[in-house]
Amino acid sequence: MAIATESPPTDATGQYAIETNSLSVYYNEFQAVRDVNLSIETRRITAIIGPSGCGKSTVLRAFNRMNDLVPGSSTQGEVFFAGQNIYEPDVDPVEVRRRIGMVFQKANPFPKSIYDNVAWGARINGFRGDMDQLVEDSLRNAALWEEVKDKLDQSGLSLSGGQQQRLCIARAIAVRPDIILMDEPASALDPIATLRIEELMRDLAQQYTIIIVTHNMQQAARVSDFTAFFSLAEDGSRAGMLMEYGLTQKMFTNPEHKITEEYITGRFG
Amino acid sequence: MSHPANGFQSNLPRRHRSGQAWLLLFQAATLIGILGLTALMLNILNSNFGYVVYVDKVNPQTLAVDGVPLENLPSDTLASIFRENVSNGLFTRYDREIPLTDRSQSSIYELILDFVIVPEVKQQWSLWESLTRRAQIQSIAATDYPEGYLVFESWVDYDFIKSPQSSFVEIAGVRTAILGSLWTIGIAILFAFPVGVGAAIYLQEYAADNWLNRVIRTNINNLAGVPSIIYGILGLAIFVRALEPLTSGAIFSGSAEATASGRTILSAGLTLALLVLPLIIINAQEAIKAVPNSLRNASYGLGATRWQTIWNHVLPGALPGILTGTILAISRAIGETAPLVVIGASTFIQADPSGPFSKFTTLPIQIFQWTSRPQEVFRNLAAAASLVLLALLLTMNATAILLRNRYGNRN
């Protein structure tokens, strides 16, 4: 496997959950993300923030090859996961997506029962253990068990918005991923439901690496350990670039770049 | 009201008036549609019921034995009456079919009615005439046909549905045509549904959005508009002629005994399948397109393959729409006449279709054949067959809608 010499060396002990090396994503001719070099810490919450259209979601979706499903998209550079560049031709994106799960902006439970919503992913991935136990564990981990344990056969769509989003998280962790990507998971929720999701993320971070895209600066400050700030390239090409990356605490109190400070303090974006 | 601001004119009454005018136009359009449908139904009903003057070849009273009327006689007496009054050949034919001794009293009575008494329609009136000129009709019947009798007839009845085609209007029925229609539609759907849905899945979920696939999609849309007679010509060339060994069943039976040549139910079904295929593809494509992408993302995000995503999420979500398309396809196919005439449907056939390699006729063809007869009385049969066709269509659509609702509400 060819690794560009200027990239940070892959940590053989798995200190980093994901490392990118000159990651660029194109939609047809348009370069949406340019030359991202990012190392995501294991079992930490990393927030990706930045103004609209700066490629935050595109970067997130590049981590589990969801961009492959977008017609006309292409990816350059490398994304290392478990010591393997997931864009190597012999890597199956289906397997990547099982190990790197995803929670979307809008809660999207299947039009199936709550039980089947959680069990389906495990079932298709060949889970042969105690399914009832797995469903219960996943719902408990998603802090939803107490609310739904008596109505597991009801449709997942009958739940409230916040419950649906936690169901989607339960569904994601039921396939036992290493990493959970969250694309603005609380943007459609009210403040209380948002708080519950944030608490849940803190709990999950003990077991999983979590990467969250958010528009909400307070949310990034509250939940994340590390923050990556993206912004548009200053040459007018509208390509998204990684501007600053580091400990959340440091970035929100003492950012290195002026543009980061301007964004965080709400002067643009 | 005063002007709300400078530069605005008070035009609210005018805006309301123009809205009213449009509403009137839309109501008129709806009314025209309702009138058209009502006229259609009235027209069919008008020919379906009405007074009929029958004259019997043999007066049933002359067949009565010891003052007991014919319909009350026991089976064996009726059997001997039947034997005495019909030709040997006819008797042997029916006796061989089911021995007369095994037949019920009412079935022997029906045989006598059909072959001995033979009531013949002398004149018939429409429902409208029967209701408005009742006295006049009764006097015409009494003076012109003194030995005849006047009956208020419903042309469509159980006998009409269960009897095979006949050149006698009194005993002609549509059983052959109903069975022919069911067989051809069944084969058409059996073929067109999986092929159409499969093509839609490929075009919508697998095919890249490139030049070639756009041309294919456009052409499928165009195919849906091709006149049906052209499909008939296609079916004649391919299924009847080129694939004759297959469609006549010769390669299955191993002999050349196939009497229908290629003009079989199979050919008709496949031709109708081609005809409705674009309809099914287009509707299935639309239904698949309407399945929200968030569902696909959720599935892929869990590590599902493309096929697992399609089978578990896309198809169940699209099924109601796919079934709606199939309903439309059935409705279209069941009324098609022209392509079946071209591929050589039989216009007069008495034997029930026994399988895909039988000769056949269908309800629309039967209707077409009856309306083109010179005798006016066959119009009534055509109207009755129209009613049967409509009922068959509604039944099939209702079944499809029930299926759709069942699968649509499953989640």
Side-chain angles (χ1 to χ4, degrees):
Chain A
M1 200 183 316
I3 300 171
T5 46
E6 65 268 26
S7 71
T10 312
D11 194 308
T13 62
Q15 182 192 349
Y16 294 121
I18 284 182
E19 284 189 270
T20 72
N21 176 29
S22 298
L23 172 67
S24 295
V25 182
Y26 294 82
Y27 295 122
N28 297 315
E29 306 303 311
F30 171 64
Q31 189 180 31
V33 169
R34 180 188 298 167
D35 284 341
V36 173
N37 294 298
L38 193 59
S39 302
I40 306 286
E41 301 279 341
T42 305
R43 295 209 181 109
R44 293 285 182 275
I45 301 180
T46 303
I48 299 178
I49 61 170
S52 297
C54 70
K56 302 184 295 288
S57 293
T58 301
V59 168
L60 193 74
R61 293 163 61 91
F63 290 163
N64 69 344
R65 294 192 62 171
M66 285 296 274
N67 283 331
D68 292 17
L69 303 169
V70 180
S73 75
S74 57
T75 308
Q76 288 175 5
E78 295 159 316
V79 175
F80 289 98
F81 164 68
Q84 168 85 22
N85 175 11
I86 59 170
Y87 284 93
E88 289 283 319
D90 60 337
V91 173
D92 186 349
V94 172
E95 175 61 16
V96 170
R97 292 185 203 120
R98 187 193 72 74
R99 309 242 344 236
I100 308 179
M102 193 153 196
V103 176
F104 298 85
Q105 180 170 4
K106 195 172 164 291
N108 54 357
F110 298 126
K112 298 174 183 291
S113 70
I114 292 169
Y115 183 97
D116 282 339
N117 258 286
V118 180
W120 188 77
R123 203 178 287 140
I124 58 152
N125 279 297
F127 179 72
R128 289 281 173 273
D130 183 349
M131 188 61 86
D132 291 350
Q133 193 61 45
L134 179 75
V135 170
E136 182 177 339
D137 289 348
S138 303
L139 286 169
R140 275 190 197 284
N141 284 337
L144 191 61
W145 175 252
E146 292 303 323
E147 290 157 69
V148 300
K149 64 181 178 190
D150 299 323
K151 49 177 183 179
L152 290 174
D153 56 342
Q154 282 184 24
S155 169
L157 296 168
S158 66
L159 299 174
S160 74
Q163 288 174 326
Q164 286 190 13
Q165 196 61 293
R166 277 180 279 145
L167 179 61
C168 291
I169 292 172
R171 179 176 71 185
I173 57 187
V175 297
R176 297 286 178 257
D178 300 311
I179 302 172
I180 303 173
L181 308 176
M182 297 187 175
D183 192 353
E184 301 187 46
S187 68
L189 303 180
D190 64 68
I192 293 169
T194 301
L195 206 63
R196 297 211 61 172
I197 299 275
E198 288 176 6
E199 284 168 1
L200 172 59
M201 285 165 64
R202 292 258 41 124
D203 291 344
L204 291 174
Q206 297 174 8
Q207 278 180 279
Y208 302 96
T209 303
I210 295 178
I211 309 173
I212 173 177
V213 164
T214 180
H215 261 117
N216 183 332
M217 229 67 63
Q218 286 79 26
Q219 185 170 62
R222 277 196 302 265
V223 299
S224 71
D225 305 301
F226 294 88
T227 300
F229 172 63
F230 279 75
S231 190
L232 297 179
E234 278 143 350
D235 58 6
S237 67
R238 300 198 59 78
M241 294 181 75
L242 177 62
M243 292 295 170
E244 189 168 345
Y245 174 50
L247 283 167
T248 300
Q249 206 183 359
K250 177 172 181 297
M251 192 174 293
F252 276 83
T253 51
N254 184 21
E256 258 172 52
H257 295 283
K258 194 159 182 298
I259 186 171
T260 314
E261 187 187 347
E262 281 175 345
Y263 181 73
I264 287 169
T265 53
R267 258 173 278 170
F268 88 102
Chain B
M1 264 177 76
S2 60
H3 295 286
N6 286 338
F8 287 95
Q9 294 188 345
S10 166
N11 63 354
L12 192 56
R14 194 165 55 78
R15 283 191 282 153
H16 279 307
R17 270 200 307 280
S18 78
Q20 280 295 326
W22 281 108
L23 174 64
L24 267 176
L25 274 177
F26 298 145
Q27 283 171 334
T30 313
L31 193 67
I32 290 172
I34 292 172
L35 281 177
L37 282 177
T38 318
L40 173 81
M41 280 320 293
L42 285 179
N43 186 33
I44 292 177
L45 291 178
N46 195 32
S47 309
N48 245 304
F49 304 97
Y51 281 115
V52 174
V53 177
Y54 284 108
V55 174
D56 294 338
K57 206 164 96 188
V58 173
N59 188 337
Q61 280 160 8
T62 63
L63 298 172
V65 179
D66 303 331
V68 181
L70 190 66
E71 60 264 37
N72 295 344
L73 288 171
S75 297
D76 49 344
T77 324
L78 284 177
S80 56
I81 292 175
F82 183 63
R83 155 155 254 166
E84 284 157 22
N85 287 283
V86 298
S87 69
N88 265 337
L90 193 88
F91 177 81
T92 327
R93 204 174 95 206
Y94 280 90
D95 197 41
R96 201 173 288 157
E97 213 173 72
I98 305 169
L100 248 62
T101 45
D102 294 352
R103 287 174 185 254
S104 68
Q105 194 261 359
S106 64
S107 87
I108 304 175
Y109 176 71
E110 259 177 43
L111 283 179
I112 294 174
L113 209 61
D114 286 349
F115 294 101
V116 182
I117 301 173
V118 199
E120 190 189 343
V121 174
K122 286 295 182 189
Q123 196 170 351
Q124 75 288 336
W125 289 271
S126 69
L127 178 62
W128 177 248
E129 289 169 328
S130 305
L131 293 176
T132 53
R133 296 168 46 210
R134 193 169 170 182
Q136 211 179 337
I137 290 170
Q138 277 166 342
S139 72
I140 292 173
T143 49
D144 291 4
Y145 309 103
E147 74 280 33
Y149 49 97
L150 195 65
V151 182
F152 190 86
E153 180 76 87
S154 161
W155 288 95
V156 58
D157 55 17
Y158 179 60
D159 275 339
F160 181 70
I161 291 168
K162 72 158 204 203
S163 308
Q165 163 73 303
S166 162
S167 50
F168 297 106
V169 71
E170 295 79 10
I171 57 169
V174 284
R175 187 177 72 191
T176 332
I178 291 174
L179 291 173
S181 276
L182 289 177
W183 267 103
T184 48
I185 297 294
I187 286 179
I189 294 303
L190 216 62
F191 181 77
F193 184 79
V195 174
V197 175
I201 290 173
Y202 174 75
L203 289 172
Q204 211 56 44
E205 294 289 316
Y206 288 92
D209 188 27
N210 58 24
W211 174 84
L212 179 68
N213 285 317
R214 276 197 294 273
V215 169
I216 291 175
R217 272 173 223 187
T218 313
N219 274 298
I220 288 171
N221 282 314
N222 289 339
L223 275 181
V226 169
S228 56
I229 192 140
I230 293 173
Y231 282 100
I233 292 167
L234 180 76
L236 180 69
I238 297 179
F239 301 126
V240 178
R241 299 256 162 82
L243 296 178
E244 193 193 318
L246 176 75
T247 53
S248 65
I251 56 170
F252 300 107
S253 61
S255 67
E257 53 150 4
T259 49
S261 63
R263 303 171 168 200
T264 55
I265 280 178
L266 186 61
S267 293
L270 292 176
T271 306
L272 289 181
L274 281 187
L275 179 80
V276 298
L277 196 56
L279 214 61
I280 290 183
I281 294 177
I282 292 169
N283 280 290
Q285 267 189 287
E286 290 302 321
I288 290 170
K289 212 188 285 180
V291 173
N293 250 330
S294 62
L295 224 54
R296 294 187 182 85
N297 282 335
S299 173
Y300 286 126
L302 288 171
T305 62
R306 194 191 288 259
W307 173 241
Q308 285 173 324
T309 303
I310 292 171
W311 179 250
N312 287 285
H313 302 295
V314 176
L315 282 184
L319 198 60
I322 292 174
L323 287 176
T324 307
T326 311
I327 294 170
L328 289 174
I330 291 175
S331 310
R332 170 97 195 261
I334 203 169
E336 278 302 340
T337 323
L340 300 185
V341 170
V342 173
I343 68 160
S346 313
T347 45
F348 188 88
I349 180 171
Q350 285 182 302
D352 288 346
S354 57
F357 306 118
S358 303
K359 289 195 283 189
F360 70 100
T361 189
T362 64
L363 276 168
I365 286 175
Q366 191 71 81
I367 294 167
F368 170 68
Q369 194 251 336
W370 275 332
T371 47
S372 53
R373 286 251 190 146
Q375 302 95 321
E376 207 183 318
V377 64
F378 280 99
R379 309 285 145 75
N380 298 89
L381 287 186
S386 303
L387 213 56
V388 173
L389 178 60
L390 285 178
L392 190 66
L393 183 67
L394 288 179
T395 317
M396 294 185 111
N397 283 359
T399 316
I401 288 169
L402 279 179
L403 270 177
R404 183 184 70 186
N405 291 348
R406 205 178 133 202
Y407 287 108
N409 294 338
R410 198 172 47 171
N411 303 314

